[in-house]
Amino acid sequence: MNPITLVTNLLFFQPLVNLLLVLYAALGRNFVLAIVALTVLIRLLLYPLMAQQQRAAKKMQELQPRLQELQKKYAKDREKLAQEQMKLYKEAGVNPLGGCLPLLIQFPILIAVYQAIIHVLALNPMAVIDLAKLLYRFNGFPALATLLPIQSQFLLWDLGRPERIFIPVGGILIPLPMMTLLVILTTWWSQKVMTPPSTDPQARMTTQLMNLYMPLFFGWISYNLAVGLSIYFIVTNLISVIQFALVTQDWRGFLARRFPRARQAPAASPSSSSGSAPSVESSRPRRKTRGGR
């Protein structure tokens, strides 16, 4: 075993396996609840990093008008533009690469979560034997091995296998990947909420492409891997949205950005002090009268 794999197993994989079993025992031997609880604990552990990433994203959005001015001012001098941009980032206390660290940390955790789910479910006797070798042993704590094998069935799904549900339509079996669709929808929604709108056309196009491809990518992963991982994705997306609201305190701003027509409608009428409703109604017949002339 190479050193990287050994460190990953000791820091992520083996602790997650044991934690999953402890949660499974504490939550009435319900593996879905164990996955949900594990996801919540992981998000709490990563909260400082994720909060930093979300605050940095909001600051970057606030800097967009000034960045756009710099791009116009130094359009022909790329070196000077880069210097001024870095100066602006430094003044605002923003690290443009600050969002990369949480993503890099989440990647090995994601792999470890998937491996932990597969190993804990132990779909054959040999897998149960391999799993028993990974379990911690504590004095005075019930042996985790007594929990095996795990109950992997949840409604229509086997949590340890890929989602393969089909419905007959006219003699043809049509796939119905409900969990995969939920992963796609919640991924799209979380990205839509947490990605600030950009004034730069190129950045806006990149954001739109990411909002399209990332949900499809995670949907493809969910359809081809165990259903238990889909539950992890869904809960993670929902928690991310809640965390974003708590960190930025920007639900009103979010609604205003996502639904601009609702905000612009009152702006078209006169000020409230002069009686907006009567003036709008009275202006309509005047236009008709002028049109008639």
Side-chain angles (χ1 to χ4, degrees), residues 6-265:
L6 180 61
V7 172
T8 302
N9 287 345
L10 291 176
L11 293 181
F12 297 107
F13 172 56
Q14 192 172 4
L16 288 177
V17 166
N18 286 270
L19 182 56
L20 257 178
L21 284 172
V22 170
L23 293 172
Y24 176 72
L27 296 171
R29 300 199 175 193
N30 187 316
F31 198 65
V32 171
L33 292 181
I35 294 175
V36 172
L38 177 67
T39 308
V40 172
L41 291 175
I42 290 175
R43 297 301 297 188
L44 289 175
L45 182 65
L46 296 177
Y47 179 83
L49 289 175
M50 298 306 298
Q52 179 183 357
Q53 179 190 22
Q54 291 170 349
R55 291 191 188 99
K58 188 175 181 181
K59 286 184 178 180
M60 286 293 293
Q61 169 57 24
E62 294 170 353
L63 291 178
Q64 285 299 316
R66 298 176 64 184
L67 288 171
Q68 197 170 20
E69 292 177 4
L70 291 177
Q71 291 171 357
K72 293 179 181 179
K73 185 176 181 179
Y74 302 104
K76 297 181 180 180
D77 191 345
R78 294 294 179 182
E79 183 177 354
K80 182 65 175 178
L81 174 61
Q83 293 176 356
E84 292 297 322
Q85 285 178 333
M86 293 305 298
K87 181 180 178 181
L88 179 60
Y89 291 144
K90 186 175 181 180
E91 291 176 354
V94 175
N95 182 1
L97 301 178
C100 298
L101 181 59
L103 295 177
L104 293 175
I105 293 178
Q106 286 185 80
F107 187 69
I109 293 178
L110 174 62
I111 296 176
V113 167
Y114 170 69
Q115 292 180 340
I117 291 173
I118 294 299
H119 279 75
V120 168
L121 290 173
L123 300 178
N124 57 68
M126 290 301 299
V128 174
I129 295 174
D130 292 337
L131 174 61
K133 299 176 182 178
L134 298 171
L135 303 182
Y136 298 144
R137 290 167 178 81
F138 303 103
N139 293 329
F141 191 83
L144 295 177
T146 60
L147 300 172
L148 305 179
I150 299 295
Q151 175 56 253
S152 64
Q153 193 66 30
F154 172 67
L155 300 179
L156 303 175
W157 299 274
D158 186 337
L159 300 175
R161 301 182 186 276
E163 182 178 25
R164 295 296 181 266
I165 297 177
F166 299 89
I167 57 174
V169 178
I172 301 176
L173 293 178
I174 305 297
L176 186 64
M178 290 183 283
M179 284 291 183
T180 301
L181 292 176
L182 283 175
V183 170
I184 293 174
L185 289 175
T186 56
T187 303
W188 174 85
W189 182 51
S190 64
Q191 286 192 247
K192 186 72 173 177
V193 170
M194 296 186 296
T195 304
S198 175
T199 57
D200 184 8
Q202 185 175 359
R204 186 163 57 247
M205 179 63 67
T206 302
T207 299
Q208 291 174 351
L209 291 175
M210 290 294 292
N211 288 343
L212 173 65
Y213 291 128
M214 290 302 291
L216 295 177
F217 173 70
F218 280 101
W220 177 81
I221 292 177
S222 301
Y223 187 73
N224 288 280
L225 299 181
V227 174
L229 190 63
S230 298
I231 295 174
Y232 173 78
F233 285 149
I234 294 168
V235 177
T236 296
N237 291 332
L238 296 177
I239 294 176
S240 297
V241 173
I242 296 173
Q243 178 180 312
F244 178 81
L246 294 174
V247 170
T248 62
Q249 296 292 318
D250 194 27
W251 276 116
R252 293 184 179 180
F254 159 72
L255 292 173
R257 288 196 302 268
R258 298 301 187 248
F259 305 102
R261 293 180 181 177
R263 184 179 64 177
Q264 291 174 359

